[in-house]
Amino acid sequence: MKVWRIWGIYHFKGDKQVEHSPVMLAEALEQLAIQTDGLYIDCTFGRGGHSQGILRQLGGGGRLWALDRDLQAIRSEIAGQLQNDQRFTLSHACFSQLHTLAATADMVGQVDGILMDLGVSSPQLDNPERGFSFLHDGPLDMRMDASAGLSAAQWLAQVPEAELVRVLFEYGEERFARRIAHAVIEQRQQIPLTTTRQLAKLIEGAVPFRDKHKHPATRSFQAIRIAVNQELDELQQVLGHALAVLKPAGRLVVISFHSLEDRMVKRFFRAEAGAKYNPGKFPIREADIAKGVLKKGGKAIKASPEEIAHNPRSRSAVMRVAEKA
């Protein structure tokens, strides 16, 4: 079999080549500063691309613990293959369980690096049955963990109109949030919304005009997905947990794909770097000023033009890195 230039991770099934390009793989591995005998956590296993990259750089004494809240990722073929590696452990868990899992495994304060690749994964978007995409008709689900919580259809069937307006405006930055929310409430009083196509068409009808090169349902689908999965709450919790789990000089690498996530990560890093507050003119000793536990990170890292050409999903990716003091 002929293999062309390797950009990401390749799997072979018979004579068929299946390529997965984890976003900013080389940058993530570089920023984690992997030690061959180190202990690392991949908080978003997904298709396993980043985990495979980390394992390639670990020696026999290294360990990698990966998490994912999506059971399909946990039960995937690549997950099964990697679990034959004694250095690798995979757990079905969401971000908010990180500290509990680390404490159970006696890893608190012992981890050399943590990687988070946020947002929805390509397998989730590509599978119509998951209900994440308005480009394919399927059940209106959107749950990253399909075994728990309300589906998007169930959530839309009971959410108050004012709350829906808030979610669309804050999480989707949707300027026509009121129009869309009102249309959803009117629709559900007659026929419940149960498919992605129903919701996409409703939004198209509610929006008076569309942006160039963007489907009118893009922002609303993002907002509803974030609300259904409580993504921002989970992110806020895991950032705090990471500080406790990392050892001194341990690295935290976060890849986000929209401004809400990136803004939260940026503010968290800034808040935990240096003095926790400015005492102003009050007479106070330097030693009494609460300090953060992160060293100031550098500038945000973006995907290279070459990667964007190869993997368009990386276009919106922003990587931020911090080190525990």
Side-chain angles (χ1 to χ4, degrees):
M1 285 183 295
K2 182 178 180 181
V3 180
W4 291 270
R5 178 186 178 207
I6 294 180
W7 188 276
I9 303 295
Y10 289 78
H11 310 304
F12 295 91
K13 191 173 183 179
D15 291 330
K16 183 179 179 182
Q17 174 183 307
V18 181
E19 179 187 354
H20 168 45
S21 300
V23 171
M24 301 177 75
L25 173 62
E27 293 87 345
L29 297 178
E30 178 183 0
Q31 295 303 322
L32 283 171
I34 294 174
Q35 304 171 42
T36 56
D37 60 348
L39 171 58
Y40 296 87
I41 298 178
D42 181 356
C43 288
T44 41
F45 178 74
R47 285 186 179 178
H50 287 117
S51 285
Q52 287 177 282
I54 293 170
L55 286 168
R56 286 180 176 179
Q57 295 197 11
L58 289 178
R63 290 171 58 203
L64 172 64
W65 195 313
L67 319 176
D68 207 294
R69 66 192 297 187
D70 189 342
L71 278 172
Q72 288 192 7
I74 298 295
R75 296 167 178 168
S76 66
E77 182 178 353
I78 186 60
Q81 293 171 1
L82 289 182
Q83 289 189 83
N84 293 322
D85 191 326
Q86 296 299 312
R87 303 169 301 166
F88 180 73
T89 301
L90 180 60
S91 297
H92 178 221
C94 54
F95 285 168
S96 57
Q97 295 173 281
L98 174 62
H99 192 276
T100 300
L101 289 172
T104 300
D106 197 25
M107 295 191 301
V108 174
Q110 304 299 317
V111 176
D112 293 282
I114 298 175
L115 174 64
M116 303 175 195
D117 180 4
L118 307 177
V120 64
S121 68
S122 296
Q124 291 167 333
L125 284 172
D126 295 341
N127 184 353
E129 294 300 313
R130 302 300 301 273
F132 285 102
S133 176
F134 49 78
L135 299 177
H136 311 285
D137 193 26
L140 193 54
D141 196 317
M142 297 194 192
R143 289 174 296 172
M144 291 183 177
D145 182 356
S147 67
L150 297 176
S151 68
Q154 292 169 324
W155 185 80
L156 286 170
Q158 53 85 45
V159 64
E161 184 171 353
E163 174 64 6
L164 182 53
V165 171
R166 184 191 70 81
V167 165
L168 295 175
F169 185 75
E170 292 185 8
Y171 296 170
E173 299 176 310
E174 174 55 70
R175 54 183 165 171
F176 301 116
R178 292 187 183 279
R179 285 174 176 263
I180 296 169
H182 185 68
V184 168
I185 301 305
E186 283 196 330
Q187 175 66 33
R188 79 184 187 190
Q189 291 173 349
Q190 302 174 34
I191 303 174
L193 291 163
T194 58
T195 70
T196 54
R197 180 168 295 169
Q198 280 180 311
L199 179 58
K201 285 187 174 180
L202 180 145
I203 294 169
E204 284 187 86
V207 171
F209 56 87
R210 63 175 66 192
D211 296 331
K212 287 184 178 180
H213 312 302
K214 181 173 287 189
H215 192 285
T218 302
R219 294 187 179 93
S220 294
F221 267 65
Q222 171 185 293
I224 294 167
R225 188 202 81 219
I226 290 173
V228 165
N229 294 288
Q230 300 179 317
E231 292 177 36
L232 298 183
D233 291 339
E234 288 283 325
L235 176 57
Q236 188 66 50
Q237 290 188 65
V238 78
L239 290 172
H241 292 175
L243 296 185
V245 172
L246 285 170
K247 67 193 305 183
R251 295 283 186 92
L252 174 57
V253 178
V254 185
I255 305 172
S256 57
F257 291 87
H258 61 74
S259 59
L260 292 174
E261 292 172 337
D262 181 54
R263 194 178 304 130
M264 181 177 290
V265 174
K266 180 180 180 179
R267 289 174 177 172
F268 180 82
F269 283 3
R270 181 184 297 163
E272 291 297 334
K276 297 284 284 183
Y277 66 93
N278 184 349
K281 297 182 179 179
F282 289 101
I284 187 170
R285 296 183 307 168
E286 178 71 19
D288 293 330
I289 302 175
K291 300 293 196 301
V293 297
L294 291 177
K295 293 182 181 178
K296 290 184 178 180
K299 293 182 179 180
I301 302 170
K302 303 287 187 70
S304 68
E306 293 80 11
E307 178 171 1
I308 292 172
H310 176 82
N311 183 8
R313 180 173 177 254
S314 66
R315 183 183 300 111
S316 58
V318 179
M319 176 185 290
R320 294 192 183 274
V321 184
E323 183 177 305
K324 186 171 179 179

